């Protein structure tokens, strides 16, 4: 069972194997925030653990992620979680598939690290 401290931690999920982009994102963490990295939802634990995270950032182009669309679908349909899913990369067709799977917002690959500060402020409650 999660403690109150676990629920209050400011954490988000980062799904991308791009090390350079990961380093850029890590450099933009606000004080008190944690970025947990992986390429599969199972890397983060079961659905109860994922629920304790504030949002998910997902790379639509990453070959290390078996299928980002299945990842979104699993999160939404199987786990029935409504944490925000921010995607980056992907062409128009891939973004449409992600939108149909109920991803929330889409960003260019070169802007996602810069947007993290906005996300952290928005979900820093």
């Amino acid at each position: 069972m999660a403690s109150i401290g676990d629920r209050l931690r400011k954490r988000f999920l980062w799904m991308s194997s791009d090390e350079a982009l990961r380093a850029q994102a890590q450099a933009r963490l606000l004080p008190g925030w944690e970025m947990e990295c992986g390429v599969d939802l199972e890397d983060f634990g079961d659905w109860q653990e994922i629920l304790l995270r504030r949002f998910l950032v997902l790379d639509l182009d990453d070959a290390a992620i078996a299928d980002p669309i299945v990842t979104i679908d699993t999160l939404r349909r199987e786990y029935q979680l409504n944490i925000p899913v921010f995607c980056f990369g992907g062409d128009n067709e891939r973004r449409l598939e992600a939108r149909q799977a109920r991803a929330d917002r889409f960003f260019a690959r070169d802007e996602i690290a810069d947007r993290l500060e906005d996300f952290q402020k928005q979900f820093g409650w």
Side-chain angles (χ1 to χ4, degrees):
M1 178 177 271
S3 69
I4 292 173
D6 286 336
R7 292 180 181 154
L8 294 176
R9 287 174 59 191
K10 295 177 183 177
R11 302 179 280 177
F12 68 92
L13 306 175
W14 179 268
M15 289 187 73
S16 177
S17 64
D18 183 329
E19 290 297 323
L21 193 53
R22 177 183 174 185
Q24 289 177 21
Q26 189 74 40
R28 288 170 173 81
L29 290 182
L30 296 177
W33 276 88
E34 303 170 46
M35 180 172 74
E36 298 178 13
C37 303
V39 293
D40 190 299
L41 285 177
E42 292 180 4
D43 294 341
F44 306 115
D46 59 15
W47 70 269
Q48 296 98 328
E49 291 296 314
I50 294 170
L51 182 60
L52 296 174
R53 282 33 174 216
R54 309 278 172 105
F55 56 88
L56 166 66
V57 179
L58 178 63
D59 187 343
L60 293 177
D61 295 322
D62 197 332
I65 300 170
D67 187 342
I69 306 308
V70 170
T71 297
I72 298 165
D73 190 62
T74 299
L75 187 72
R76 298 294 194 225
R77 293 180 198 259
E78 183 179 333
Y79 295 175
Q80 297 186 357
L81 299 180
N82 198 31
I83 67 170
V85 177
F86 303 123
C87 299
F88 64 94
D91 59 16
N92 286 337
E93 183 177 324
R94 193 70 164 155
R95 286 180 175 201
L96 178 59
E97 292 173 359
R99 189 172 287 113
Q100 290 171 337
R102 298 190 316 225
D104 294 293
R105 294 181 61 198
F106 302 88
F107 301 93
R109 184 168 213 80
D110 62 351
E111 72 176 319
I112 192 65
D114 292 333
R115 297 304 303 260
L116 282 179
E117 184 175 348
D118 295 335
F119 302 153
Q120 292 169 80
K121 287 178 180 177
Q122 182 178 356
F123 296 99
W125 30 265

